[in-house]
Amino acid sequence: QQQVKQSPQSLIVQKGGISIINCAYENTAFDYFPWYQQFPGKGPALLIAIRPDVSEKKEGRFTISFNKSAKQFSLHIMDSQPGDSATYFCAASRGAGSYQLTFGKGTKLSVIP
Amino acid sequence: GAVVSQHPSRVICKSGTSVKIECRSLDFQATTMFWYRQFPKQSLMLMATSNEGSKATYEQGVEKDKFLINHASLTLSTLTVTSAHPEDSSFYICSARPLRDSNQPQHFGDGTRLSIL
């Protein structure tokens, strides 16, 4: 049973545009929702994370929107750049540290000039 | 920032060989480390949770006798793929959580690409 559903599977965005990736979760015990960026041949790197007590978190060009009632959260990348081209994974866990992360299936983002 | 180092980054070996992968937390201590496997164009799948000084906890479907995990110190966990076969070829990634702050997120290593011929 996939507990975190991610869409789209792939995304092509023009440079300067907004990239939007969506995730939905099922387990209401989840209370930590990170997004990871992974380049080919590298491990995932934490991009931004949110807890359910806030509806939005912004760090630079990256924003997470969180809808607790709908059990959905999304990543918005503003002013997308070719260097943002990577695979993005949403994840969820009970707590930030010790608890295991459940990952979405990933979105391959390509930002074209 | 917290750094997790994996070694080797890539290994190619013959079928039947046992391969050891190291995961080190360089600037923090970690009682818990996680081992993931990632097939091409797929997501990370948790294999096991490694606990310092105790036995690892394996996810359903992961053979503990096939994938031996040793977490002998607060900065080192090892994964040994025993008698590896071509179907074990994959990208293996570890992560670790800083001991001192339970609210700190997991930090990932850069992975080990294992290719079994």
Side-chain angles (χ1 to χ4, degrees), chain A residues 9 32 36 38 41-46 51 89 95-101 103-106 108, chain B residues 32 34 36 38 41-44 46 49 59 91 93 97 102-106 108-111 113:
Chain A
Q9 189 174 354
Y32 176 72
Y36 287 88
Q38 186 179 32
K42 296 292 185 181
L46 179 65
R51 294 186 184 275
F89 293 95
S98 296
Y99 295 102
Q100 64 190 55
L101 288 163
F103 283 88
K105 289 193 172 183
K108 184 175 182 180
Chain B
T32 303
F34 300 89
Y36 296 84
Q38 185 178 33
K41 298 184 180 181
Q42 293 191 22
S43 188
L44 287 78
L46 181 67
T49 302
E59 294 302 299
F91 194 48
I93 308 171
R97 175 187 72 81
S102 61
N103 286 318
Q104 276 287 318
Q106 297 173 29
F108 286 81
D110 266 344
R113 175 74 59 193

Short mmCIF file of all heavy atoms in Angstrom, two decimals, chain A residues 9 32 36 38 41-46 51 89 95-101 103-106 108, chain B residues 32 34 36 38 41-44 46 49 59 91 93 97 102-106 108-111 113:
data_model
loop_
_atom_site.label_atom_id
_atom_site.label_comp_id
_atom_site.label_asym_id
_atom_site.label_seq_id
_atom_site.Cartn_x
_atom_site.Cartn_y
_atom_site.Cartn_z
N GLN A 9 4.55 12.44 -12.65
CA GLN A 9 5.75 11.61 -12.69
C GLN A 9 6.90 12.38 -13.32
O GLN A 9 8.06 12.21 -12.95
CB GLN A 9 5.44 10.35 -13.50
CG GLN A 9 6.53 9.30 -13.46
CD GLN A 9 6.08 8.02 -14.16
OE1 GLN A 9 4.93 7.88 -14.57
NE2 GLN A 9 6.99 7.08 -14.31
N TYR A 32 5.34 15.14 9.74
CA TYR A 32 6.54 15.80 9.22
C TYR A 32 6.59 15.49 7.74
O TYR A 32 6.52 14.32 7.33
CB TYR A 32 7.78 15.27 9.95
CG TYR A 32 9.08 15.83 9.43
CD1 TYR A 32 9.46 17.14 9.67
CD2 TYR A 32 9.97 15.02 8.72
CE1 TYR A 32 10.66 17.64 9.20
CE2 TYR A 32 11.17 15.50 8.25
CZ TYR A 32 11.52 16.82 8.50
OH TYR A 32 12.71 17.31 8.03
N TYR A 36 12.68 16.34 -0.92
CA TYR A 36 14.08 16.08 -1.22
C TYR A 36 14.35 16.30 -2.71
O TYR A 36 13.49 16.04 -3.56
CB TYR A 36 14.46 14.64 -0.84
CG TYR A 36 14.56 14.41 0.65
CD1 TYR A 36 13.45 14.04 1.40
CD2 TYR A 36 15.78 14.57 1.31
CE1 TYR A 36 13.55 13.84 2.77
CE2 TYR A 36 15.88 14.37 2.67
CZ TYR A 36 14.76 14.01 3.39
OH TYR A 36 14.86 13.81 4.74
N GLN A 38 17.07 15.25 -5.70
CA GLN A 38 18.11 14.27 -6.00
C GLN A 38 18.62 14.45 -7.42
O GLN A 38 17.85 14.42 -8.37
CB GLN A 38 17.59 12.84 -5.82
CG GLN A 38 18.68 11.77 -5.98
CD GLN A 38 18.16 10.36 -5.78
OE1 GLN A 38 17.02 10.06 -6.09
NE2 GLN A 38 19.02 9.48 -5.27
N GLY A 41 23.00 10.01 -9.62
CA GLY A 41 24.20 9.48 -8.98
C GLY A 41 24.47 10.03 -7.60
O GLY A 41 25.54 9.75 -7.03
N LYS A 42 23.55 10.80 -7.06
CA LYS A 42 23.73 11.39 -5.73
C LYS A 42 22.61 10.98 -4.80
O LYS A 42 21.55 10.55 -5.23
CB LYS A 42 23.75 12.93 -5.84
CG LYS A 42 24.92 13.47 -6.66
CD LYS A 42 26.23 13.25 -5.95
CE LYS A 42 27.38 13.91 -6.69
NZ LYS A 42 28.69 13.67 -6.00
N GLY A 43 22.86 11.11 -3.51
CA GLY A 43 21.80 10.86 -2.55
C GLY A 43 20.84 12.04 -2.49
O GLY A 43 21.15 13.13 -2.96
N PRO A 44 19.66 11.84 -1.93
CA PRO A 44 18.71 12.94 -1.83
C PRO A 44 19.16 13.99 -0.82
O PRO A 44 19.74 13.65 0.22
CB PRO A 44 17.42 12.25 -1.37
CG PRO A 44 17.86 10.97 -0.77
CD PRO A 44 19.14 10.58 -1.40
N ALA A 45 18.89 15.23 -1.12
CA ALA A 45 19.24 16.33 -0.22
C ALA A 45 17.96 17.02 0.22
O ALA A 45 17.08 17.31 -0.60
CB ALA A 45 20.15 17.33 -0.93
N LEU A 46 17.85 17.29 1.52
CA LEU A 46 16.67 17.95 2.05
C LEU A 46 16.56 19.36 1.48
O LEU A 46 17.49 20.14 1.54
CB LEU A 46 16.73 18.01 3.57
CG LEU A 46 15.57 18.70 4.27
CD1 LEU A 46 14.27 17.93 4.05
CD2 LEU A 46 15.84 18.85 5.76
N ARG A 51 5.61 21.11 8.94
CA ARG A 51 4.80 20.36 9.91
C ARG A 51 3.36 20.83 9.77
O ARG A 51 3.10 21.93 9.30
CB ARG A 51 5.33 20.61 11.32
CG ARG A 51 6.73 20.06 11.54
CD ARG A 51 7.15 20.20 12.99
NE ARG A 51 8.52 19.75 13.18
CZ ARG A 51 8.87 18.48 13.38
NH1 ARG A 51 7.95 17.55 13.42
NH2 ARG A 51 10.13 18.16 13.56
N PHE A 89 11.43 14.30 -4.56
CA PHE A 89 10.66 13.33 -3.80
C PHE A 89 9.98 14.02 -2.63
O PHE A 89 10.62 14.75 -1.87
CB PHE A 89 11.55 12.22 -3.24
CG PHE A 89 12.17 11.33 -4.28
CD1 PHE A 89 13.44 11.56 -4.75
CD2 PHE A 89 11.46 10.23 -4.77
CE1 PHE A 89 14.02 10.74 -5.71
CE2 PHE A 89 12.04 9.40 -5.73
CZ PHE A 89 13.31 9.65 -6.19
N GLY A 95 7.35 12.42 12.96
CA GLY A 95 8.53 13.02 13.57
C GLY A 95 9.65 13.17 12.56
O GLY A 95 9.70 12.46 11.56
N ALA A 96 10.55 14.09 12.84
CA ALA A 96 11.59 14.45 11.87
C ALA A 96 12.76 13.49 11.86
O ALA A 96 13.37 13.27 10.84
CB ALA A 96 12.09 15.86 12.15
N GLY A 97 13.08 12.92 12.99
CA GLY A 97 14.35 12.24 13.09
C GLY A 97 14.34 10.74 13.05
O GLY A 97 14.65 10.13 12.04
N SER A 98 13.95 10.13 14.14
CA SER A 98 14.13 8.69 14.27
C SER A 98 13.19 7.87 13.43
O SER A 98 13.48 6.73 13.09
CB SER A 98 13.95 8.28 15.73
OG SER A 98 14.94 8.84 16.54
N TYR A 99 12.04 8.41 13.12
CA TYR A 99 11.05 7.62 12.43
C TYR A 99 11.35 7.50 10.94
O TYR A 99 11.86 8.42 10.32
CB TYR A 99 9.65 8.21 12.63
CG TYR A 99 9.21 8.15 14.07
CD1 TYR A 99 9.27 9.27 14.88
CD2 TYR A 99 8.74 6.96 14.61
CE1 TYR A 99 8.88 9.19 16.21
CE2 TYR A 99 8.34 6.89 15.93
CZ TYR A 99 8.41 8.00 16.72
OH TYR A 99 8.03 7.94 18.02
N GLN A 100 10.98 6.36 10.40
CA GLN A 100 11.29 6.11 9.00
C GLN A 100 10.47 7.01 8.09
O GLN A 100 9.34 7.36 8.37
CB GLN A 100 11.03 4.65 8.65
CG GLN A 100 9.59 4.21 8.77
CD GLN A 100 9.44 2.70 8.65
OE1 GLN A 100 10.07 1.95 9.37
NE2 GLN A 100 8.63 2.27 7.71
N LEU A 101 11.08 7.38 6.98
CA LEU A 101 10.43 8.19 5.97
C LEU A 101 9.72 7.30 4.96
O LEU A 101 10.24 6.27 4.55
CB LEU A 101 11.47 9.04 5.23
CG LEU A 101 12.08 10.20 6.00
CD1 LEU A 101 13.36 10.66 5.32
CD2 LEU A 101 11.10 11.35 6.12
N PHE A 103 8.48 7.57 1.20
CA PHE A 103 8.71 8.44 0.05
C PHE A 103 7.63 8.29 -1.00
O PHE A 103 7.05 7.21 -1.19
CB PHE A 103 10.05 8.10 -0.61
CG PHE A 103 11.25 8.63 0.14
CD1 PHE A 103 11.84 7.88 1.14
CD2 PHE A 103 11.78 9.86 -0.18
CE1 PHE A 103 12.93 8.35 1.84
CE2 PHE A 103 12.89 10.34 0.51
CZ PHE A 103 13.46 9.58 1.52
N GLY A 104 7.37 9.40 -1.71
CA GLY A 104 6.58 9.32 -2.93
C GLY A 104 7.44 8.74 -4.04
O GLY A 104 8.64 8.49 -3.84
N LYS A 105 6.86 8.53 -5.21
CA LYS A 105 7.58 7.86 -6.29
C LYS A 105 8.51 8.78 -7.06
O LYS A 105 9.29 8.31 -7.89
CB LYS A 105 6.59 7.18 -7.24
CG LYS A 105 5.93 5.96 -6.63
CD LYS A 105 5.20 5.13 -7.68
CE LYS A 105 4.73 3.82 -7.05
NZ LYS A 105 4.07 2.95 -8.05
N GLY A 106 8.43 10.06 -6.80
CA GLY A 106 9.36 11.00 -7.42
C GLY A 106 8.80 11.68 -8.65
O GLY A 106 7.92 11.16 -9.35
N LYS A 108 10.39 13.79 -11.99
CA LYS A 108 11.57 14.26 -12.71
C LYS A 108 11.25 15.60 -13.35
O LYS A 108 10.39 15.70 -14.23
CB LYS A 108 11.99 13.25 -13.78
CG LYS A 108 13.27 13.65 -14.49
CD LYS A 108 13.75 12.58 -15.45
CE LYS A 108 15.06 13.01 -16.11
NZ LYS A 108 15.56 11.98 -17.06
N THR B 32 20.74 5.99 15.29
CA THR B 32 19.90 5.35 14.28
C THR B 32 20.36 5.74 12.88
O THR B 32 20.54 6.92 12.59
CB THR B 32 18.43 5.78 14.45
OG1 THR B 32 18.00 5.45 15.78
CG2 THR B 32 17.54 5.04 13.45
N PHE B 34 19.59 4.57 8.65
CA PHE B 34 18.65 3.86 7.79
C PHE B 34 19.35 3.46 6.49
O PHE B 34 20.16 4.20 5.96
CB PHE B 34 17.46 4.76 7.46
CG PHE B 34 16.68 5.24 8.66
CD1 PHE B 34 17.04 6.41 9.31
CD2 PHE B 34 15.59 4.52 9.14
CE1 PHE B 34 16.34 6.86 10.41
CE2 PHE B 34 14.88 4.97 10.24
CZ PHE B 34 15.25 6.14 10.88
N TYR B 36 18.61 2.32 2.53
CA TYR B 36 17.62 2.32 1.46
C TYR B 36 18.22 1.68 0.21
O TYR B 36 19.42 1.67 0.00
CB TYR B 36 17.20 3.75 1.10
CG TYR B 36 16.49 4.51 2.20
CD1 TYR B 36 17.22 5.18 3.19
CD2 TYR B 36 15.11 4.60 2.24
CE1 TYR B 36 16.59 5.90 4.18
CE2 TYR B 36 14.46 5.33 3.22
CZ TYR B 36 15.21 5.97 4.19
OH TYR B 36 14.57 6.68 5.17
N GLN B 38 17.54 1.85 -4.07
CA GLN B 38 16.83 2.59 -5.11
C GLN B 38 17.18 2.00 -6.46
O GLN B 38 18.34 2.03 -6.89
CB GLN B 38 17.22 4.08 -5.07
CG GLN B 38 16.45 4.94 -6.04
CD GLN B 38 16.82 6.41 -5.95
OE1 GLN B 38 17.97 6.75 -5.67
NE2 GLN B 38 15.85 7.29 -6.19
N LYS B 41 15.21 4.96 -11.80
CA LYS B 41 13.98 5.71 -12.01
C LYS B 41 12.88 5.33 -11.03
O LYS B 41 11.69 5.49 -11.34
CB LYS B 41 13.49 5.52 -13.45
CG LYS B 41 14.48 6.04 -14.49
CD LYS B 41 13.93 5.93 -15.89
CE LYS B 41 14.94 6.47 -16.89
NZ LYS B 41 14.44 6.43 -18.28
N GLN B 42 13.27 4.84 -9.88
CA GLN B 42 12.28 4.51 -8.85
C GLN B 42 12.58 5.25 -7.56
O GLN B 42 13.61 5.93 -7.44
CB GLN B 42 12.26 3.00 -8.61
CG GLN B 42 11.74 2.21 -9.80
CD GLN B 42 11.47 0.76 -9.45
OE1 GLN B 42 11.27 0.41 -8.28
NE2 GLN B 42 11.46 -0.09 -10.46
N SER B 43 11.69 5.14 -6.62
CA SER B 43 11.85 5.83 -5.35
C SER B 43 12.76 5.06 -4.41
O SER B 43 13.20 3.95 -4.72
CB SER B 43 10.48 6.02 -4.71
OG SER B 43 10.57 6.85 -3.58
N LEU B 44 13.06 5.66 -3.28
CA LEU B 44 13.86 4.99 -2.26
C LEU B 44 12.97 4.04 -1.47
O LEU B 44 11.88 4.42 -1.02
CB LEU B 44 14.47 6.00 -1.29
CG LEU B 44 15.63 6.84 -1.79
CD1 LEU B 44 15.17 7.97 -2.68
CD2 LEU B 44 16.45 7.38 -0.63
N LEU B 46 12.93 1.69 1.89
CA LEU B 46 13.64 1.39 3.13
C LEU B 46 13.88 -0.10 3.25
O LEU B 46 12.96 -0.90 3.08
CB LEU B 46 12.82 1.89 4.32
CG LEU B 46 13.43 1.66 5.70
CD1 LEU B 46 14.69 2.51 5.87
CD2 LEU B 46 12.42 1.99 6.80
N THR B 49 16.41 -0.52 9.44
CA THR B 49 16.80 0.52 10.39
C THR B 49 17.91 -0.05 11.25
O THR B 49 17.75 -1.11 11.88
CB THR B 49 15.60 0.93 11.25
OG1 THR B 49 14.56 1.39 10.39
CG2 THR B 49 15.99 2.03 12.22
N GLU B 59 12.80 -4.43 7.01
CA GLU B 59 11.46 -4.28 6.44
C GLU B 59 11.00 -5.61 5.85
O GLU B 59 11.82 -6.49 5.53
CB GLU B 59 11.47 -3.20 5.36
CG GLU B 59 11.75 -1.81 5.90
CD GLU B 59 10.75 -1.38 6.95
OE1 GLU B 59 9.54 -1.30 6.63
OE2 GLU B 59 11.17 -1.10 8.10
N PHE B 91 21.26 0.95 -6.34
CA PHE B 91 21.86 2.12 -5.70
C PHE B 91 21.47 2.03 -4.22
O PHE B 91 20.28 2.04 -3.89
CB PHE B 91 21.32 3.39 -6.36
CG PHE B 91 22.06 4.65 -6.04
CD1 PHE B 91 23.44 4.70 -6.11
CD2 PHE B 91 21.39 5.81 -5.68
CE1 PHE B 91 24.14 5.86 -5.84
CE2 PHE B 91 22.07 6.99 -5.41
CZ PHE B 91 23.44 7.01 -5.48
N ILE B 93 21.62 3.56 -0.44
CA ILE B 93 21.78 4.87 0.20
C ILE B 93 21.51 4.73 1.69
O ILE B 93 20.57 4.06 2.09
CB ILE B 93 20.79 5.90 -0.38
CG1 ILE B 93 20.87 5.95 -1.90
CG2 ILE B 93 21.05 7.29 0.19
CD1 ILE B 93 19.77 6.79 -2.54
N ARG B 97 20.48 10.21 11.62
CA ARG B 97 19.88 11.32 12.37
C ARG B 97 20.81 11.72 13.51
O ARG B 97 21.29 10.86 14.22
CB ARG B 97 18.54 10.87 12.95
CG ARG B 97 17.90 11.92 13.85
CD ARG B 97 16.66 11.37 14.53
NE ARG B 97 16.97 10.40 15.56
CZ ARG B 97 17.35 10.69 16.82
NH1 ARG B 97 17.49 11.94 17.18
NH2 ARG B 97 17.59 9.73 17.69
N SER B 102 16.47 15.26 18.44
CA SER B 102 15.53 14.32 17.82
C SER B 102 14.67 15.01 16.76
O SER B 102 14.01 14.34 15.98
CB SER B 102 14.62 13.70 18.88
OG SER B 102 13.86 14.71 19.53
N ASN B 103 14.68 16.34 16.73
CA ASN B 103 13.89 17.03 15.72
C ASN B 103 14.68 17.31 14.46
O ASN B 103 14.14 17.84 13.50
CB ASN B 103 13.36 18.36 16.29
CG ASN B 103 12.21 18.12 17.26
OD1 ASN B 103 11.35 17.30 17.01
ND2 ASN B 103 12.23 18.83 18.37
N GLN B 104 15.94 16.98 14.47
CA GLN B 104 16.74 17.15 13.27
C GLN B 104 16.35 16.11 12.24
O GLN B 104 16.13 14.95 12.56
CB GLN B 104 18.24 16.99 13.61
CG GLN B 104 18.88 18.25 14.13
CD GLN B 104 19.09 19.28 13.05
OE1 GLN B 104 19.49 18.94 11.93
NE2 GLN B 104 18.79 20.51 13.35
N PRO B 105 16.27 16.51 10.97
CA PRO B 105 15.91 15.53 9.94
C PRO B 105 17.06 14.58 9.66
O PRO B 105 18.20 14.81 10.06
CB PRO B 105 15.63 16.41 8.73
CG PRO B 105 16.48 17.61 8.93
CD PRO B 105 16.48 17.85 10.42
N GLN B 106 16.74 13.52 8.94
CA GLN B 106 17.77 12.58 8.51
C GLN B 106 18.64 13.23 7.43
O GLN B 106 18.15 13.99 6.61
CB GLN B 106 17.12 11.33 7.93
CG GLN B 106 16.28 10.55 8.91
CD GLN B 106 15.53 9.41 8.23
OE1 GLN B 106 15.99 8.87 7.22
NE2 GLN B 106 14.39 9.06 8.77
N PHE B 108 21.30 12.30 4.31
CA PHE B 108 21.59 11.19 3.43
C PHE B 108 23.02 11.22 2.93
O PHE B 108 23.60 12.29 2.71
CB PHE B 108 20.64 11.21 2.24
CG PHE B 108 19.25 10.76 2.58
CD1 PHE B 108 18.34 11.63 3.16
CD2 PHE B 108 18.85 9.45 2.33
CE1 PHE B 108 17.06 11.21 3.49
CE2 PHE B 108 17.57 9.03 2.65
CZ PHE B 108 16.67 9.91 3.23
N GLY B 109 23.56 10.02 2.74
CA GLY B 109 24.83 9.89 2.05
C GLY B 109 24.62 10.00 0.55
O GLY B 109 23.48 10.09 0.08
N ASP B 110 25.72 9.95 -0.19
CA ASP B 110 25.64 10.09 -1.64
C ASP B 110 25.44 8.77 -2.36
O ASP B 110 25.47 8.73 -3.59
CB ASP B 110 26.88 10.79 -2.19
CG ASP B 110 26.67 12.29 -2.33
OD1 ASP B 110 25.49 12.71 -2.30
OD2 ASP B 110 27.65 13.03 -2.46
N GLY B 111 25.25 7.70 -1.60
CA GLY B 111 24.89 6.44 -2.22
C GLY B 111 26.08 5.62 -2.71
O GLY B 111 27.18 6.14 -2.92
N ARG B 113 26.74 2.79 -5.77
CA ARG B 113 26.22 2.09 -6.95
C ARG B 113 26.86 0.71 -6.99
O ARG B 113 28.06 0.57 -7.17
CB ARG B 113 26.59 2.87 -8.22
CG ARG B 113 26.22 2.16 -9.52
CD ARG B 113 24.75 2.20 -9.79
NE ARG B 113 24.24 3.57 -9.89
CZ ARG B 113 22.96 3.89 -9.86
NH1 ARG B 113 22.06 2.94 -9.73
NH2 ARG B 113 22.59 5.14 -9.97
#
